[in-house]
Amino acid sequence: MTALIDATGLEKIFRSRGRDVAAVADVSLSVGAGEALGIVGESGCGKTTTARMLLRLEDPTAGRIIFDGTDITTLRGAALLKFRAQAQLVFQNPFDALNPRFTIRRALAEPLNNFGVPVSEHAERIDAVLHRVRLTPPAAWLDRRPHELSGGQLQRVVLARALIPGPKLIVADEPVSMLDVSVRAGILNLLREARDALGLAAVYISHDLALIRYVCERTMVMYLGRVVEEGPTKELIAKPAHPYTRALVAAVPVPHVTQDRAQLPIRGSLSDAASVGGCAFRGRCPHAMKICTDQAPPLRSITPTRQVACHLEGAML
Amino acid sequence: MSMLSVRDLVVTYATRAGPVRAVDGVDLDIPAGSITGLVGESGCGKSTLGRALMGVLPEAGKIAGGQIVFEGADLVALSPTARRAIAWRRLSFIPQTAMNALDPVQRLRAQMLEVLVERGGLGKAEALARASELFHLVGLDPIRLSDYPHQFSGGMRQRASIALALALEPALVIADEPVTALDVIVQRQVLDVMRNLQARLGLAMILVTHDIAVVAYACDRVAVMYAGRIVEAGPVADVLENPLHPYTMGLTHAFPDLYGDDMTLVPIDGTPPSLLHPPAGCRFAARCPFVQPRCADEPPVMTGDHQAACWRVDEAAELRALAATPATWLPK
Ligand SMILES: Nc1ncnc2c1ncn2[C@@H]1O[C@H](COP(=O)(O)OP(=O)(O)OP(=O)(O)O)[C@@H](O)[C@H]1O
Ligand SMILES: Nc1ncnc2c1ncn2[C@@H]1O[C@H](COP(=O)(O)OP(=O)(O)OP(=O)(O)O)[C@@H](O)[C@H]1O
Ligand code: SF4
Ligand code: SF4
Ligand SMILES: [Mg+2]
Ligand SMILES: [Mg+2]
């Protein structure tokens, strides 16, 4: 299968207070049509920055992105606009994502106008997309404004706005973290359905592995701007190969009384991270060895579907 | 014996549209030395209840009825001065935005001393020693007492807030969403700090959250709140493994789980009712797949240790079986 989006060696360096911050370093990923990739990791590990580069909302300082056979890394003007219609972002906070003065009709017509869809097609497309996100009958919703909707209903409108230009890729950055548990499930189900029905490629970002498991077959784990592990989500949860993934999995509480409460296999916090040279995780890793200080472990395949960046190469499994 | 017994508590907020009954007839018992989780969806009144217990309601809010019996005294009936004396010494509240509630222009040491010296009446040297001890207790290096809050990560700020809340050795700590904004590893570390402290100091804790996995991990008991009322309460194992109330049943199926083969997530259709004009009968009736005519007329009440406010509580086992079928929760 050829991937819909294929990114190689993405890097983003921010200059902040005269200092360079490498938010993302050497990230490569690819996602095919109908496939969903999850990105997980601690706060500040570079998930959002990676997503923004994939959508060209942020220019990478290095690396290349091929989308549907075209190099989009440096697109400008009309070509960039065409790409934007095909690669859409689902915002995290539905309460901020919509203009409070606009009706739902107008909120949905806006992207169509932006991407030059003829007005004669608007009504039909708006009707179809409202059905897709289950705001039916559409007539009952079109003239409402955001304050007349619940958080879950708003997030459906936000999803409809992302779907209406007919994208091939959607990127959802913490799409349900602001929503109540009772309505999250509905949005996650809609995302899954939309992906299956429309054959979309999807990238989901979250620090909640339990949630990622429901929507993504494959998951990439980031630590301090780098990919430390990648593989099928279920395998990664059942047998994490990187010590950081192991801690991440162990830290997720489960909704059952019987669960593992043993001390997490990780030390300190992000700020204790070792910096120059070697493995970036070594300051917190319970398995750190001499080689970990001397050499940075490259991302290597340990099975045909799994990759890990650790000198142990999953040997502690 | 309960350390805290809340009876028929009503808290209202004055708004232009009329009084919002944010807490509307809450009964709750907190045994000494236990951690009780308070769960429920956004806007159901969790923070309002926590603030009412602590006596720190915002200006628009007031206790409109009921009792809060803490260590034998009804806090609602006490004079404000007498009440504050108890609240300051025996109770402690970690607000929902605790992470950002630290004073940004004061070093942590000064903030700790303020509480220990001014409220606790300790001498300066004694207070300094105690501050170091408290930092140590929550897993922070006492050297960091000379830092400002912005020099801390989110998780460290949360630990510092907990240290502040424990400064005067309260008997009951009310923590409002103490881990919600944190990522999983830090969340786990903060929960472990709270669990260890609770066990070592024998204090009681109310942990407000909307995450039932957090409750399952950290709590002994749980109270489920819905639209201003407690609808189910009991030991965590009973409530989560054998829920009696259809709302609790719904929550357990809506929740993603890290393990297990069941990959269907089932939403609870609809939204909670307005607290401006709450319905007369069961507040969950409009969303309940098991609703019957009488549910809409009369509010169900709770009795027993593991209890639920539902007319059909005797049929809970059959309802649980139905609730496990996704089709049950389809919109009507
Ligand atoms: N515009 C910017 N200028 C400077 N630094 C930035 C900028 N955007 C992000 N960063 C830094 O880059 C790193 C990665 O940030 P990013 O937002 O991608 O993390 P994240 O994984 O999405 O975190 P979270 O889970 O908290 O959303 C962080 O150290 C952040 O402070
Ligand atoms: N100052 C206020 N004035 C008027 N109404 C208020 C005020 N504070 C809260 N409310 C209302 O009271 C109800 C309960 O709010 P509360 O903050 O206690 O809920 P919560 O369960 O803590 O929600 P969340 O999970 O979002 O924190 C809500 O309907 C809210 O809109
Ligand atoms: S390379 Fe070494 S320090 Fe890094 S994760 Fe592997 S064992 Fe730990
Ligand atoms: S009282 Fe009736 S409506 Fe309320 S939860 Fe029980 S069955 Fe459902
Ligand atoms: Mg982010
Ligand atoms: Mg609250």
Side-chain angles (χ1 to χ4, degrees):
Chain A
M1 182 184 64
T2 57
L4 176 74
I5 188 160
D6 202 350
T8 328
L10 287 184
E11 175 194 89
K12 181 71 193 183
I13 294 176
F14 288 111
R15 181 154 274 273
S16 120
R17 291 192 212 115
R19 233 164 32 95
D20 281 347
V21 178
V24 173
D26 195 19
V27 166
S28 300
L29 60 86
S30 71
V31 191
E35 200 191 9
L37 173 73
I39 306 183
V40 295
E42 232 158 350
S43 181
C45 71
K47 304 181 293 293
T48 296
T49 307
T50 302
R52 291 177 57 84
M53 287 193 282
L54 293 178
L55 293 169
R56 280 293 314 281
L57 296 170
E58 200 82 73
D59 286 331
T61 37
R64 203 167 65 128
I65 307 168
I66 308 289
F67 181 83
D68 215 4
T70 311
D71 187 337
I72 59 137
T73 325
T74 54
L75 284 189
R76 295 272 174 260
L80 181 60
L81 190 69
K82 180 161 167 270
F83 165 71
R84 293 220 186 285
Q86 299 188 355
Q88 285 281 313
L89 176 66
V90 179
F91 286 93
Q92 168 176 19
N93 186 345
F95 305 94
D96 288 346
L98 298 169
N99 185 325
R101 287 173 299 131
F102 288 4
T103 60
I104 305 310
R105 187 197 313 276
R106 183 146 172 214
L108 295 175
E110 196 182 45
L112 295 177
N113 285 325
N114 291 347
F115 298 123
V117 176
V119 176
S120 59
E121 288 178 29
H122 286 196
E124 196 182 321
R125 284 180 73 160
I126 290 174
D127 191 77
V129 84
L130 285 174
H131 274 106
R132 163 124 344 263
V133 299
R134 303 257 166 72
L135 290 173
T136 53
W141 299 93
L142 286 172
D143 296 308
R144 297 202 198 185
R145 285 170 218 276
H147 73 267
E148 297 170 276
L149 271 60
S150 71
Q153 291 162 346
L154 278 179
Q155 193 58 309
R156 286 168 197 238
V157 177
V158 170
L159 178 59
R161 244 171 85 94
L163 293 176
I164 203 165
K168 292 179 175 166
L169 168 73
I170 55 170
V171 176
D173 192 354
E174 306 269 8
V176 296
S177 63
M178 306 291 288
L179 299 177
D180 261 314
V181 175
S182 70
V183 294
R184 273 184 196 187
I187 299 292
L188 290 174
N189 290 343
L190 280 177
L191 282 165
R192 205 153 61 168
E193 266 173 45
R195 187 196 77 204
D196 292 346
L198 308 171
L200 300 177
V203 175
Y204 294 98
I205 293 172
S206 178
H207 56 249
D208 185 349
L209 254 175
L211 195 146
I212 286 289
R213 190 177 86 109
Y214 278 82
V215 275
C216 304
E217 298 76 28
R218 222 150 43 85
T219 295
M220 195 172 102
V221 183
M222 290 183 70
Y223 186 77
L224 282 179
R226 289 178 188 272
V227 180
V228 295
E229 177 160 10
E230 207 219 286
T233 310
K234 283 185 179 164
E235 279 182 42
L236 197 129
I237 290 171
K239 283 186 188 313
H242 194 281
Y244 174 65
T245 315
R246 212 150 76 140
L248 202 62
V249 171
V252 179
V254 297
H256 306 289
V257 178
T258 317
Q259 59 182 294
D260 190 1
R261 292 183 177 78
Q263 172 116 38
L264 287 184
I266 189 168
R267 296 179 281 158
S269 66
L270 260 189
S271 47
D272 304 316
S275 43
V276 222
C279 172
F281 188 58
R282 69 180 188 274
R284 303 176 69 189
C285 181
H287 307 281
M289 311 162 280
K290 171 135 193 342
I291 186 176
C292 307
T293 315
D294 301 339
Q295 282 174 37
L299 192 62
R300 271 185 292 236
S301 295
I302 51 167
T303 75
T305 54
R306 296 186 66 178
Q307 292 184 296
V308 63
C310 168
H311 290 303
L312 289 171
E313 298 184 25
M316 52 155 203
L317 287 180
Chain B
M1 233 292 279
S2 293
M3 156 185 270
L4 175 79
S5 277
V6 179
R7 287 292 168 270
D8 205 19
L9 187 70
V10 180
V11 182
T12 58
Y13 290 109
T15 71
R16 265 185 296 166
V20 170
R21 301 176 71 86
V23 169
D24 197 8
V26 159
D27 289 346
L28 181 66
D29 285 285
I30 305 293
S34 68
I35 306 188
T36 301
L38 182 63
V39 286
E41 56 194 280
S42 183
C44 70
K46 304 181 296 295
S47 295
T48 305
L49 176 56
R51 289 184 165 276
L53 298 180
M54 185 61 195
V56 289
L57 284 169
E59 211 169 316
K62 70 159 201 277
I63 293 181
Q67 294 181 313
I68 302 173
V69 181
F70 176 69
E71 296 181 330
D74 179 8
L75 300 182
V76 177
L78 289 179
S79 74
T81 326
R83 180 175 183 162
R84 192 159 35 216
I86 294 182
W88 275 17
R89 281 234 67 100
R90 304 290 293 161
L91 297 173
S92 188
F93 183 64
I94 305 177
Q96 192 159 356
T97 50
M99 238 166 40
N100 311 315
L102 297 170
D103 185 344
V105 298
Q106 276 202 70
R107 294 177 200 276
L108 270 306
R109 180 184 295 111
Q111 303 190 42
M112 294 287 271
L113 288 190
E114 187 177 313
V115 174
L116 290 165
V117 175
E118 280 165 38
R119 282 209 233 154
L122 267 62
K124 177 120 192 262
E126 208 184 345
L128 274 175
R130 177 84 181 130
S132 294
E133 189 188 320
L134 284 162
F135 255 45
H136 197 73
L137 215 53
V138 296
L140 289 171
D141 187 341
I143 283 186
R144 307 294 300 254
L145 276 165
S146 45
D147 283 358
Y148 290 97
H150 75 261
Q151 292 168 288
F152 279 16
S153 73
M156 290 163 73
R157 277 198 295 249
Q158 199 58 277
R159 285 171 196 236
S161 310
I162 294 172
L164 265 175
L166 295 175
L168 301 180
E169 299 183 21
L172 173 66
V173 176
I174 302 159
D176 195 356
E177 310 261 12
V179 295
T180 303
L182 307 173
D183 62 49
V184 284
I185 289 182
V186 186
Q187 164 176 303
R188 166 67 167 268
Q189 289 167 338
V190 170
L191 288 176
D192 284 347
V193 165
M194 295 179 65
R195 278 186 343 123
N196 289 337
L197 289 174
Q198 190 275 332
R200 270 162 66 187
L201 308 177
L203 40 86
M205 214 179 267
I206 298 179
L207 197 156
V208 177
T209 171
H210 54 254
D211 187 340
I212 58 172
V214 165
V215 168
Y217 180 77
C219 299
D220 309 303
R221 297 180 61 83
V222 57
V224 182
M225 213 172 162
Y226 187 78
R229 295 218 167 124
I230 306 288
V231 296
E232 179 160 3
V236 168
D238 298 344
V239 175
L240 295 188
E241 311 295 341
N242 288 308
L244 297 176
H245 197 284
Y247 176 64
T248 319
M249 296 176 197
L251 274 187
T252 57
H253 295 294
F255 218 89
D257 190 341
L258 194 55
Y259 304 98
D261 299 326
D262 186 6
M263 294 293 278
T264 37
L265 285 180
V266 189
I268 306 175
D269 195 48
T271 50
S274 153
L275 295 174
L276 211 47
H277 304 291
C282 172
R283 298 192 168 181
F284 189 56
R287 301 170 79 185
C288 180
F290 311 122
V291 62
Q292 291 182 336
R294 70 171 160 172
C295 304
D297 301 333
E298 226 182 308
V301 288
M302 310 212 292
T303 46
D305 180 44
H306 175 199
Q307 44 179 345
C310 170
W311 287 120
R312 304 187 64 180
V313 74
D314 296 337
E315 303 164 69
E318 292 120 78
L319 300 189
R320 272 199 296 277
L322 287 172
T325 315
T328 301
W329 297 91
L330 286 180
K332 284 168 277 225

